[in-house]
């Protein structure tokens, strides 16, 4: 190791502390994620949540270990972005950006257009590896640095570290993730190729289970194979006594809104049951006679198909909790052997019902099966979704036949386990058994009462399409024993992942350690790690432990004796998990703190403990790089506080956007999910000296503004929200170098205060650069609306970002929704409202106007400048130019600086294909323009799509 460097020597020592090719990496990240059938193999091995894409991961790792003087092209080449069709004299950065602009008009394949396959498929050549390693060693005293991921999750970071042959340590609290880490990082490199062995023993397990289960999956005619069974949960109508099958719709294969295959419910009056036939629309029946979209349950309420009574949500849940919720088979997906293996749907038959009843009797008559998975599901943020539907224990997630099937496959696995252990080395046996257990987990994921039927494909959808436990009114059951599907598919896909992981990492002899434990108490020596690259838990985004219990209860059965240190409790550890989970604080809140407040404090404390232990194991000249998404700004502030309190100095931030900012207007939504790289180093020493906030406040604003200007004026296209995020780095660097910081009254100043100053500074820069000076004088509510369009460059953007922007100008976001109606919520995002959503219709009598719209166009005064401008737009649109002139004149708009400033600002920030922009243009430059007398630059009217053309000159209006 080298001597510990001074602060001056540390400055810009590593590439991550210098300029990075973040735009090119963002494009490559978007490219990797665009096709979800062609992702890195670790994405398919087992369900895990929030895996980072390879380009962002590689950038985080390599820039954390390479010296600062490495140029961007060399870095991109080593990252796997090495185009074969690079134009002489052009940089790789320029090449990637240019190819991205023309990718939709290309000839041939995407990889031919870019000149290289997706980055995750590429590694340096042998000679390039030598060059890379020698360059890395030059920054670390002649040795390769050890890379640690203390919260490794699904293994994206350590897997790439292993592939680059760097000494690697992965730690994870969650046992399920720890098994995944073993399967990703170690088992594919454990000696010989075991793919054939995994397949061999998987087939053995399948053969054993098939024989035992054959009676429970009979063919009704002998010429068909049942593939999947589609079920509905049932309740009893409290009015007429009908057994009501609950399903949001009856489509089995929906080809369009009016064509496809559906289950047709028909009421059997004699038995109080609903029977089903299978129909083809429109061949067998027209949509006007039967609409399969009209199911029996919506938003938790059910509708009886016989008496049409609405069964309220409370009644549905009461029947579920009292054990009165049942199930009814309403369709079977089969393969006909006599018609070229055609797959069709048919209605249930008596043989199907008898087989299911037989399975139920077998479960109830077997003492071991009757007690399998009786562990209670704990109350939690996500698991609370299950309790109202009578799902109390983990076994309740399965029908009797599903439980019998999974149990039978587990027993076949146990029978194979002893033979495998005796035939192979310990490492080989662990690898084979781990992959077979992972295959079983995949089977469970696609075969339980939460497994939905995807009628668009058609196929079974796995449980965790979302990051929660969503109760399924109707569900699909897989016949795991069927040839070519079921367990055959599960095994084949598992072996394929093993082969791909071995192909990608088998060359590496990098020392690799996997630890299972709390990241706040790492099993590592002091100052033993040179580089930490961490993708931490995201505040309240995913409740990892709650969700992974679904798999834990099965993996414990399969692998409890293989990894006894992993499976020590009935369920995964919740108390030590670093997430903001309000459910942990139910019943213990006080007057001053809510459950959310306590959860936030708990998360911050746990992250502080984790960062403190990282500080302990990190060498004094080491680097700590955090990776996280920027959509949760509150999580950003909390993580930053924890980082600083743990003894780190922030030295850089880099936002890697996965969206092309040029497409935001067309998409109508700022959907960018940037990955942030935040680099920090250990503070040289702790000090009890305090810095006055007033002494550094101006400097925090200046460095943020300077960073924003540098990025905004660079050749690379950055979304403005990413410019704000990038400004946080230098701001936090100033703050952390002077930490601790207090105000003039001696009260501690938090990092959040510094970040708010950065936001304000960048906001002011944007106003100076892109808006008119008069905007500074408009009311804060109007300013928020204008800045939202400017910063996010779209009508729709994340709620958390909108909230922070509102705070930055002293406004409460929710108050802008009601009563001002400036925005509405859509799927967790903010959607800015146009004038027509806010202004009452002037053509209607005042008594007949919508009371929900806050702006009365007849008023002579308005609460905000935006209200006045929106009212003017409405008058122009509804009444024409002459009436608009009179309206503007009566309200002295021509001498109202706030009105004029707001109108001009909207002309600058609204997209030109937006109706409100066209009305603003006509107000400013049409017949009413003479009254308003705005001094407008003609560039405001330039066509966004054509830099050489205009939508019209001022004289044209």
């Amino acid at each position: 190791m080298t001597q510990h460097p001074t602060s001056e020597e540390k400055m810009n020592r590593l590439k991550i502390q210098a300029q990075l090719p973040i735009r090119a990496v963002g494009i490559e990240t978007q490219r990797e994620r665009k096709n979800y059938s062609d992702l890195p193999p670790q994405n398919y091995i087992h369900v895990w949540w929030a895996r980072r894409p390879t380009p962002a991961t590689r950038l985080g790792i390599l820039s954390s270990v390479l010296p600062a003087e490495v140029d961007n092209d060399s870095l991109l080449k080593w990252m796997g972005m090495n185009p074969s069709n690079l134009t002489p004299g052009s940089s790789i950065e320029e090449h990637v950006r240019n190819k991205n602009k023309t990718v939709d008009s290309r000839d041939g394949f995407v990889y031919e257009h870019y000149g290289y396959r997706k980055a995750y498929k590429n590694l340096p050549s042998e000679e390039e590896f030598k060059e890379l390693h020698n360059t890395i060693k030059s920054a670390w005293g002649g040795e390769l640095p050890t890379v640690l991921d203390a919260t490794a999750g699904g293994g994206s970071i350590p897997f790439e570290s292993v592939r680059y042959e760097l000494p690697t340590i992965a730690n994870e609290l969650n046992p399920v993730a720890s098994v995944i880490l073993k399967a990703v990082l170690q088992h594919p490199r454990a000696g010989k190729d075991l793919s054939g062995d995994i397949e061999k023993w998987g087939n053995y397990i399948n053969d054993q289970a098939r024989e035992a289960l054959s009676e429970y999956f009979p063919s009704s005619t002998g010429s068909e194979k049942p593939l999947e069974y589609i079920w509905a949960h049932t309740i009893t109508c409290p009015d007429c006594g009908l057994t009501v099958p609950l399903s949001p719709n009856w489509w089995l294969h929906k080809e369009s809104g009016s064509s496809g295959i559906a289950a047709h419910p028909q009421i059997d009056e004699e038995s109080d049951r609903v029977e089903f036939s299978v129909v083809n629309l429109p061949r067998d029946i027209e949509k006007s006679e039967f609409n399969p979209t009209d199911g029996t349950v919506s938003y938790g309420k059910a509708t009886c198909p016989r008496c049409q009574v609405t069964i309220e949500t409370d009644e549905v849940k009461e029947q579920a909790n009292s054990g009165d919720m049942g199930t009814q088979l309403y369709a079977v997906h089969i393969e006909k052997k006599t018609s070229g293996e055609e797959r069709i749907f048919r209605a249930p038959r008596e043989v199907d019902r008898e087989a299911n009843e037989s399975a139920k009797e077998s479960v109830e008559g077997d003492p071991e099966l009757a007690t399998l998975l009786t562990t209670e599901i704990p109350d939690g943020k996500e698991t609370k979704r299950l309790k109202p539907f009578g799902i109390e224990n983990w076994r309740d997630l399965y029908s009797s036949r599903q439980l019998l099937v999974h149990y039978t496959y587990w027993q076949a696995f146990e029978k194979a386990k002893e033979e495998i252990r005796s035939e192979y080395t310990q490492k080989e046996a662990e690898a084979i058994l781990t992959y077979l257990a992972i295959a079983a987990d995949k089977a469970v994921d696609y075969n339980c009462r939460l497994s939905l039927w995807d009628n668009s494909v058609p196929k079974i959808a796995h449980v965790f399409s979302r990051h929660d436990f969503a109760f399924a009114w109707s569900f699909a059951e897989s016949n795991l024993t069927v040839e070519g599907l079921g367990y055959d598919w599960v095994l084949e896909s598992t072996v394929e992942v093993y082969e791909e992981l071995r192909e990608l990492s088998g060359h590496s002899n990098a020392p690799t350690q996997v630890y299972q434990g709390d990241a706040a108490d790492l099993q590592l020596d002091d100052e033993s790690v040179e580089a930490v690259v961490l993708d931490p838990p995201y505040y309240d985004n995913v409740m990892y432990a709650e969700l992974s219990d679904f798999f834990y209860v099965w993996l414990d059965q399969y692998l409890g004796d293989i990894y006894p240190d992993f499976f020590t409790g009935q369920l995964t550890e919740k108390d030590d998990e670093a997430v903001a989970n309000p459910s942990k604080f139910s019943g213990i809140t006080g007057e001053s703190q809510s459950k959310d407040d306590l959860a936030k404090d708990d998360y911050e404390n746990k992250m502080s403990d984790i960062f403190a232990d990282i500080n302990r194991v990190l060498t004094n000249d080491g680097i700590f790089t955090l990776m996280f998404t920027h959509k949760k700004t509150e999580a950003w502030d909390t993580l930053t506080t924890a980082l600083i309190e743990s003894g780190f100095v922030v030295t850089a931030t880099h936002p890697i956007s996965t969206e092309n900012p040029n497409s935001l207007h067309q998409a109508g939504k700022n959907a960018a999910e940037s990955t942030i790289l935040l680099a920090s180093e250990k503070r040289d020493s702790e000090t009890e000296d305090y810095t006055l906030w007033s002494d550094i406040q101006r400097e925090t604003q200046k460095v943020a503004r300077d960073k924003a200007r540098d990025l905004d004026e660079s050749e690379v296209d950055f979304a403005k929200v990413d410019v704000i995020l990038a400004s946080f780095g230098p701001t936090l660097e100033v703050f952390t170098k002077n930490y601790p910081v207090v105000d003039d009254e001696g009260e501690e100043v938090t990092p959040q205060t510094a970040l708010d100053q950065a936001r304000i500074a960048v906001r002011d820069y944007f106003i100076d650069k892109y808006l008119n000076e008069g905007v500074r004088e408009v009311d804060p509510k109007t300013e928020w609306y204008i800045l939202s369009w400017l910063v996010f460059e779209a009508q729709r953007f994340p709620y958390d970002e909108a909230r922070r922007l509102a705070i930055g100008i002293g406004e409460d976001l929710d108050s802008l929704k009601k009563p001002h109606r400036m925005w509405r919520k859509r799927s967790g995002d903010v959607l800015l409202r146009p004038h027509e959503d806010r202004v009452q219709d002037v053509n209607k009598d005042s008594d007949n106007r919508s009371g929900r719209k806050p702006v009365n166009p007849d008023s002579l005064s308005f609460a905000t400048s935006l209200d006045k401008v929106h009212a003017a737009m409405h008058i122009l649109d509804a009444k024409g130019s002459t009436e608009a002139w009179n309206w503007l004149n009566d309200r002295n708009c021509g001498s109202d600086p706030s009105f004029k400033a707001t109108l001009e600002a909207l002309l600058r920030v609204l997209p030109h294909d937006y109706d409100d922009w066209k009305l603003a243009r006509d107000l400013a430059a049409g017949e009413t323009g003479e009254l308003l007398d705005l001094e407008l630059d003609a560039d405001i009217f330039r066509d966004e799509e054509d830099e050489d053309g205009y939508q019209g000159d001022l004289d044209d209006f």
Side-chain angles (χ1 to χ4, degrees), residues 772 774-775 777-779 782 860-869 872 887-904 931-934:
N772 40 305
V775 169
E777 306 304 322
V778 303
D779 60 276
T782 298
L860 295 176
S861 62
F862 296 87
T864 71
S865 296
L866 181 68
D867 292 353
K868 194 172 184 178
V869 171
W887 189 94
L888 293 167
N889 191 48
D890 290 344
R891 289 157 182 79
N892 300 314
C893 293
S895 58
D896 183 347
S898 292
F899 178 90
K900 295 164 73 170
T902 300
L903 180 60
E904 180 178 346
L931 171 67
L932 296 175
D933 192 25
L934 293 173

Side-chain angles (χ1 to χ4, degrees), residues 170-223:
N171 178 81
E172 174 57 48
L173 174 67
N174 192 291
V176 175
S178 299
V179 170
I180 297 172
L181 290 173
K182 285 279 191 179
V184 170
L185 303 179
Q186 292 182 332
H187 293 329
R189 301 186 295 131
K192 67 178 184 179
D193 182 356
L194 296 171
S195 57
D197 302 270
I198 297 169
E199 184 175 15
K200 166 190 166 184
W201 289 102
N203 287 330
Y204 170 85
I205 290 169
N206 203 15
D207 290 341
Q208 296 284 316
R210 271 182 181 153
E211 184 177 349
L213 294 169
S214 59
E215 64 181 289
Y216 303 108
F217 296 96
S219 169
S220 62
T221 64
S223 62

Side-chain angles (χ1 to χ4, degrees), residues 916-947:
D916 276 10
W917 184 87
K918 297 171 185 175
L919 288 170
R921 174 198 63 190
D922 293 344
L923 276 173
E927 293 180 20
T928 53
E930 184 177 347
L931 171 67
L932 296 175
D933 192 25
L934 293 173
E935 296 181 5
L936 298 176
D937 189 330
D939 282 347
I940 290 178
F941 301 97
R942 184 184 295 273
D943 192 330
E944 290 177 322
E945 300 300 319
D946 182 3
E947 293 185 0

Side-chain angles (χ1 to χ4, degrees), residues 6 22 64 68 100 165 178 180 290 310 319 368 387 410 429 449 503 577 670 693 734 854 876 882 904:
T6 64
I22 57 178
S64 297
N100 182 58
E165 302 187 41
S178 299
I180 297 172
F290 166 58
T310 297
Q319 291 197 33
E368 188 169 353
K387 297 298 183 74
W410 169 44
R449 285 173 60 196
E503 180 182 351
E577 184 183 33
N670 185 320
W693 172 238
V734 170
L876 177 65
T882 301
E904 180 178 346

Side-chain angles (χ1 to χ4, degrees), residues 2 59 61 158 170 205 207 409 571 639 672 681 695 740 766 855 899:
T2 58
L59 182 64
I61 295 169
I205 290 169
D207 290 341
Y409 273 91
L571 296 171
L639 281 171
E681 295 179 331
D695 290 343
F766 284 147
V855 181
F899 178 90

